Amino acid sequence: MEVDILNIPKLRFKDTNGNDYPQWEKKLIKDILKIYHGKDYKNEPNEKKLYPVLGTGGIITYIDKFLCDWECVLIGRKGTINKPQYMKTPFWSVDTLFYSKPKLKQNPKFQYYLFQNINWKIYDESTGVPSLSASTIEHINRFIPTYTEQEKIASFFSTIDKKIENLANTITSLENQKKGLLQQIFSQKLRFKDKNGNNYPNWEKKKLGKLLSITSSKRVHEADWTTSGIPFYRARDIVSIFNNKPISKIYISEKLYEECSSSCGKISENDLLVTGVGTIGIPYLVKKSDKFYFKDGNIIWLKNSPAIYGKYLFYIFISSYVQKQINMMTGKGTVGTYTIKNAKDTNILLPCLEEQTKIADFLSAFDRKLDNQKAQLEHWQQIKKGLLQQMFV
């Protein structure tokens, strides 16, 4: 077979003598592995639940039999086709997930990273649910190094993946700790002391409508959206910001912003915005530097009050104490709406201002620790992405 040779990738390893490995050879995927179809598992015994059943999203369940007991890479046949998986222990694969068998002198962990560097979406064969065929996969061309260099690349990326996995586990642990802290604080099992070591006064239960002004913005029509000017937030944007995800940037003109604000006012530091549609009850605490407008009705506006520390209000809104009320008001499990009236009728537990501040500052410090871990995770994910681009050709 005639071999097509490509120049070296941007980043490479050296051999034990400090020399370059041979140039990579262009091969078809079928030259380095064999594709197998998964099968339905529902009629298989599952009393002992010994082996994982894998779908395109990961582990579905466990059963007593396996389809594959060798180390290999897997890729979706239908649905999620762009998230390769790797297994080195026995498993069962469903019929929407291909598994493979590496051919002689081919490293399956290297194949896993090779698959991560393929844009599978361009091979989608369906106009509906994304789909791949075994034939399509087998006839994709890629450049492949020698087995020894494959091992080094696989080991290198495995180390990065371990770092990413450890950070992800730390984040999960911290998020669970935060849930526990919120529960303990707002159930008052965990209380703060004053500077003399004494208890603060008992908390009071009050309706939000008795403590601060609750309203919304003046309506802005979609036809008035622009590509520059004053940022315009919808409920979905508040949810994305809360989850540290990017938003679709929408704006309105400075002139329209001033016109609308003249009747309903402008947001100010420590105001709380709460989503009223879609994913309901998600809060956003307005910062001093914020200047934006938001969609009427979709977002409820709680204007800051001297009686409530803004950060405290934010944290009690994400606690189960308030979220359970929101679910009851809007109809859990239905497409409901959290309205201005609902917000006014929402009860909160109100400690004295000094204890509110201590609670909020404590939780803010915990969030900074959590955010630091998330930033590190994003950093290492970006490093891996860049290295995959430079170490594969």
Side-chain angles (χ1 to χ4, degrees):
M1 182 180 69
E2 185 176 338
V3 177
D4 185 3
I5 303 296
L6 181 74
N7 289 333
I8 59 174
K10 291 181 181 179
L11 290 178
R12 291 193 71 185
F13 290 96
K14 303 285 187 180
D15 66 21
T16 53
N17 297 315
N19 299 317
D20 289 334
Y21 286 103
Q23 290 180 316
W24 294 25
E25 296 182 359
K26 191 173 186 180
K27 296 177 181 288
L28 295 172
I29 294 295
K30 70 178 182 178
D31 296 328
I32 66 170
L33 56 78
K34 179 175 175 58
I35 298 290
Y36 290 87
H37 289 258
K39 297 180 181 179
D40 185 18
Y41 67 93
K42 292 177 183 175
N43 293 322
E44 302 299 332
N46 64 354
E47 293 179 4
K48 297 180 181 178
K49 300 184 183 299
L50 297 172
Y51 306 106
V53 176
L54 301 180
T56 57
I59 296 175
I60 299 171
T61 186
Y62 290 83
I63 60 175
D64 300 351
K65 293 175 66 177
F66 59 83
L67 276 180
C68 173
D69 62 352
W70 57 81
E71 185 181 6
C72 71
V73 62
L74 305 91
I75 191 68
R77 180 185 71 83
K78 196 167 187 177
T80 303
I81 62 172
N82 62 336
K83 291 186 178 179
Q85 299 179 54
Y86 164 80
M87 288 295 290
K88 62 179 181 180
T89 56
F91 64 89
W92 186 285
S93 174
V94 301
D95 59 0
T96 58
L97 183 68
F98 291 121
Y99 62 103
S100 65
K101 188 168 190 175
K103 295 194 172 179
L104 186 65
K105 283 296 182 180
Q106 297 296 324
N107 186 295
K109 196 64 178 286
F110 169 82
Q111 293 171 349
Y112 170 61
Y113 293 114
L114 173 70
F115 273 33
Q116 288 185 42
N117 208 44
I118 294 175
N119 181 6
W120 293 102
K121 291 183 179 179
I122 67 174
Y123 299 104
D124 181 8
E125 300 175 350
S126 172
T127 57
V129 178
S131 300
L132 290 172
S133 69
S135 177
T136 295
I137 297 170
E138 290 170 344
H139 287 85
I140 294 172
N141 280 310
R142 279 300 178 271
F143 288 89
I144 308 298
T146 63
Y147 183 78
T148 305
E149 193 172 3
Q150 288 181 37
E151 286 185 310
K152 285 198 172 184
I153 291 170
S155 176
F156 175 74
F157 279 105
S158 292
T159 301
I160 294 177
D161 272 352
K162 188 63 179 177
K163 176 71 174 179
I164 290 172
E165 180 185 357
N166 288 340
L167 284 166
N169 289 339
T170 298
I171 289 167
T172 299
S173 177
L174 288 172
E175 287 175 336
N176 288 334
Q177 288 179 50
K178 181 179 174 181
K179 289 178 183 177
L181 287 169
L182 287 168
Q183 178 62 32
Q184 290 184 66
I185 288 171
F186 294 111
S187 66
Q188 300 178 64
K189 291 180 181 178
L190 176 62
R191 291 288 303 271
F192 290 83
K193 305 283 187 180
D194 66 19
K195 61 183 179 180
N196 297 315
N198 299 318
N199 291 329
Y200 286 107
N202 290 334
W203 294 16
E204 298 179 273
K205 184 167 78 171
K206 295 194 174 183
K207 289 188 182 296
L208 279 171
K210 302 291 185 181
L211 295 169
L212 42 71
S213 173
I214 301 175
T215 184
S216 191
S217 59
K218 184 179 178 181
R219 174 159 296 188
V220 169
H221 297 283
E222 188 172 340
D224 294 316
W225 295 354
T226 62
T227 55
S228 63
I230 304 300
F232 182 79
Y233 290 170
R234 299 157 297 173
R236 72 187 74 172
D237 300 317
I238 298 296
V239 173
S240 293
I241 293 169
F242 183 83
N243 292 316
N244 295 312
K245 293 183 178 179
I247 64 173
S248 301
K249 294 184 178 179
I250 296 172
Y251 303 86
I252 61 172
S253 68
E254 180 87 36
K255 180 181 178 183
L256 181 59
Y257 169 71
E258 293 296 338
E259 287 175 358
C260 293
S261 298
S262 65
S263 60
C264 64
K266 297 177 181 178
I267 56 170
S268 62
E269 185 179 11
N270 287 325
D271 287 352
L272 192 76
L273 305 179
V274 181
T275 56
V277 298
T279 305
I280 295 170
I282 301 299
Y284 175 86
L285 185 64
V286 176
K287 301 183 290 292
K288 186 176 182 179
S289 59
D290 280 335
K291 184 179 181 181
F292 61 84
Y293 202 67
F294 57 92
K295 190 170 177 61
D296 65 294
N298 284 16
I299 299 172
I300 309 304
W301 183 4
L302 285 65
K303 297 189 175 183
N304 69 81
S305 162
I308 310 177
Y309 184 42
K311 286 184 179 179
Y312 174 83
L313 184 58
F314 171 84
Y315 283 114
I316 198 169
F317 245 90
I318 63 175
S319 73
S320 60
Y321 182 81
V322 167
Q323 289 296 314
K324 284 178 180 178
Q325 292 180 67
I326 292 173
N327 285 334
M328 289 292 291
M329 291 173 174
T330 59
K332 189 174 182 180
T334 66
V335 181
T337 304
Y338 187 59
T339 64
I340 292 174
K341 182 182 183 304
N342 292 150
K344 288 179 177 180
D345 289 338
T346 300
N347 290 306
I348 67 162
L349 299 170
L350 196 67
C352 69
L353 197 57
E354 188 173 316
E355 190 175 7
Q356 289 179 43
T357 303
K358 283 194 174 182
I359 290 168
D361 290 351
F362 171 77
L363 291 170
S364 293
F366 194 92
D367 270 346
R368 286 193 294 273
K369 182 178 180 181
L370 183 54
D371 289 343
N372 177 264
Q373 294 297 306
K374 289 178 178 179
Q376 287 190 53
L377 177 61
E378 173 67 21
H379 173 70
W380 279 100
Q381 287 172 333
Q382 290 302 315
I383 286 176
K384 178 184 174 182
K385 182 179 179 181
L387 288 170
L388 282 169
Q389 292 172 352
Q390 295 182 73
M391 296 181 72
F392 285 83
V393 290

